[in-house]
Structures are given as C-alpha cells and as structure tokens.
Amino acid sequence: MKVSLIQSELVWENPVENKKAFDTKLIELYQQTDLVVLPEMFTTGFSMNPQGIASNYEILNYLKVHASKGNFAIYGSVMYATDTGYVNRGIFMNPDGEHTFYDKRHTFTLAGEHNVYDKGEEPVVVLFKNWKINLQICYDLRFPVYSRNTSDYDICIYVANWPVPRVNAWDALLKARAIENMCYTIGVNRTGKDGTGMDYNGHSQVYDVLGKELIDEHPWEQNGIKTVLLDKNHISHYRDKLKFLQDRDRFNLL
C-alpha cells in the first residue's frame, strides 16, 4: 500500500486558507497513492479557540470530494463542533465516502486542551484495503498502553502539532511504538510557527516493524510530500520469526 505524508505549515485559525492550500497538495496526489495523512488540526493549527471556526459536516464534504476524485483514503484531525461542545476529531475518509471518527483521548493539559475539548472514550481501528489501522492523535503518542497492539493491527498513525523543543521525544516515541507493537508507525507533523509563537520543524516519518526509517531524509524538516510503500509481508515475516507479541502481558485499559 502506498501512503503519502503531507508535511506543511498551517495558517493560524484560518480554515479557508488552509483548505485552499491542501486542495493543491491533494490534487497533486490524485490517482497516485492509497492513503494520504495530514497533520493534526490541519484547518486551523493547534488552537484553543474553536468558537466560530470549528468544523462540522462541511469538512466531511471537503474530504469526501478529494478522497473520491483522488481514489485514496485521507486521515487527519480538525477541531470539530458537536452537539455538546468541541472535540479534536480525527477523520478517516474512504474513497467511497464512508468515514470513521476518532476523538483524541489524551487532551494536552499543558496547553489547556482539556478545558476546551472533550476527550475521546476509546481507541479506534479501521479496516482499509485489508489493512488494520490504529488511529491516534499527537499527545496519545506518550501513552503506550493506549496503543498497545492487542488487536493485531498493522499500522498506527499519529497526526500532530509537535513543537521543536520536544521533537526529540517525537522521534524516539514514534520509533518505540513501531518496535513494541511490531507494526508500521506513521507520524505526520506540521512545520512553521503558530499563533502562540510555537515553532514546528516536522520530522514526519514512517517506521517499519524493526524501527527502520522508511523516509530517507531524516530529519525531514521541509514542507512537501513523501510517499512510501508498505509491505504486509514484512509484518507477517517478522511476527512469525520474532513472536514478541505473543508474550505480552494481559490487562485491561480502564
């Protein structure tokens, strides 16, 4: 399966301009890939001001059009208005218009995200082209129990606004999640500066089951698109050869 990562600057709290920018990038990938991954809150940046700019059903139409015309799935997150408040919502849009929501479980208390957005209640794994994909968002990366591979998923995706001062943790934790869960792990981060003055330098990457980087440019710190080819035989080969997942401890996530 071909997966394309879009690493980009985001216009602060401006859904119109961000969607225009991603229009161009997504059109470039039409008929060229199977899955496109966008950053966290790709229409606004990581803002705590959702009033008046949070997405609702219109973002589904935006993603549906591109997924259909491009013949690929898309995953990214947006600030999303619900009947009871706001969530940091991951949206996995299939080419046929079917979609799955994942609401960020671990809201980032350091930035006050827990005061603005309701947290999600449970992990979400989607099935696409016979690949089981675990959907995660940014701060979830710091909590390995939450991504623990008890469902034999093949891919774990993290979309993020992960800043420069802590980017070493981003690199290390993405690699760790791949190794411990024996899965492909994809991390897509943004670049540029947000409205709070926070700097971002990307470092988007794909790691295989053994923790090998599949994007040769590392660290990747420029705006652009990278496409990698994932091989399901790679997963089955090493899970058969190295049966580490069979030795995992058994406990329930509260």
Side-chain angles (χ1 to χ4, degrees), residues 115-184:
N115 295 322
V116 180
Y117 300 95
D118 297 328
K119 70 177 183 179
E121 294 301 324
E122 58 187 23
V124 173
V125 175
V126 298
L127 184 65
F128 177 66
K129 289 184 175 291
N130 204 35
W131 289 75
K132 296 173 72 175
I133 305 172
N134 184 15
L135 306 179
Q136 302 271 290
I137 300 174
C138 202
Y139 194 39
D140 290 331
L141 180 60
R142 286 190 177 270
F143 303 93
V145 172
Y146 194 64
S147 63
R148 191 165 176 268
N149 196 356
T150 58
S151 59
D152 293 322
Y153 63 74
D154 307 300
I155 304 170
C156 192
I157 304 179
Y158 293 90
V159 298
N161 279 209
W162 198 288
V164 170
R166 297 184 292 278
V167 77
N168 287 341
W170 165 260
D171 294 339
L173 293 173
L174 280 175
K175 186 173 184 177
R177 296 297 87 82
I179 294 169
E180 70 195 11
N181 292 307
M182 300 199 75
C183 68
Y184 286 108

Side-chain angles (χ1 to χ4, degrees), residues 93-117:
M93 180 63 68
N94 284 278
D96 63 3
E98 292 295 316
H99 58 272
T100 302
F101 291 151
Y102 164 67
D103 294 341
K104 186 179 182 182
R105 168 71 174 185
H106 299 95
T107 48
F108 190 47
T109 54
L110 190 62
E113 188 180 12
H114 63 300
N115 295 322
V116 180
Y117 300 95

Side-chain angles (χ1 to χ4, degrees), residues 9-15 17-18 41-49 53 79 161 190 193-198 200:
E9 296 182 44
L10 302 175
V11 183
W12 185 244
E13 297 181 349
N14 194 326
E17 289 303 314
N18 283 309
M41 288 195 181
F42 68 88
T43 62
T44 59
F46 188 60
S47 167
M48 299 300 107
N49 303 305
I53 60 170
M79 53 170 68
N161 279 209
R190 62 162 295 179
K193 186 185 294 285
D194 71 17
T196 72
M198 190 67 72
Y200 303 86

